[in-house]
Amino acid sequence: MSAFQRVAVVTGAARGIGLAVARRFLDDGYGVALLDIDAPMLEQTAESLAPRERVLAVVCDVAEPLQVQAAIDRVAARFGRIDALVNNAGVAVFKPMLETTFDEWTRVIAVNLTGPFLCTQAAAPVMLRNGGGAVVNIGSISG
């Protein structure tokens, strides 16, 4: 376990807004856990970040409770704490409602709504061990 003053978990961190948020946390001296479902992109992103010893990349589908708990357990084991959680992972269906299938809609709800719930529920006990933390939920056009 590495000891860091502050640790952030960012979902959907392999690209876009999540990556920008992760970079900002690194610039501010945080240890950062990057969670993303896209394993190849996540690995590439993690390798590009510095300092590497402050980065933990975890492949995780935020809509899957067991994966979320396992990811948060890895973060806690590596860093010993969580001070910030940014629920950024999201999916969108870019077609008219009447053409959107129930399975597509279910996936949007699972990732965009259930994901933040699961991540917050898993991270909160780790946060509370060190006096609390902050949770930021980022919504999407499909939210």
Side-chain angles (χ1 to χ4, degrees):
M1 177 176 77
S2 299
F4 287 92
Q5 274 193 307
R6 298 173 297 178
V7 174
V9 175
V10 182
T11 70
R15 66 179 69 80
I17 294 170
L19 176 54
V21 169
R23 283 187 172 132
R24 178 57 191 257
F25 277 120
L26 286 167
D27 288 347
D28 288 346
Y30 280 69
V32 178
L34 313 169
L35 275 59
D36 204 285
I37 196 170
D38 184 342
M41 181 62 75
L42 180 62
E43 182 179 334
Q44 180 181 4
T45 296
E47 290 298 323
S48 75
L49 295 173
R52 188 66 180 104
E53 67 273 5
R54 286 199 276 122
V55 176
L56 173 66
V58 182
V59 176
C60 178
D61 181 343
V62 299
E64 294 295 329
L66 295 177
Q67 288 187 39
V68 169
Q69 189 61 59
I72 295 301
D73 289 347
R74 281 191 61 196
V75 174
R78 166 75 184 277
F79 294 120
R81 63 185 299 131
I82 297 173
D83 302 282
L85 167 64
V86 178
N87 288 308
N88 171 70
V91 296
V93 176
F94 294 105
K95 58 185 180 180
M97 186 217 16
L98 295 177
E99 295 173 21
T100 302
T101 68
F102 180 74
D103 287 342
E104 291 168 330
W105 175 246
T106 300
R107 183 67 181 159
V108 167
I109 295 298
V111 173
N112 296 9
L113 297 177
T114 302
F117 169 78
L118 293 172
C119 291
T120 303
Q121 188 177 52
V126 181
M127 290 177 163
L128 290 172
R129 286 197 301 253
N130 293 297
V135 177
V136 175
N137 296 317
I138 298 175
S140 77
I141 192 170
S142 291

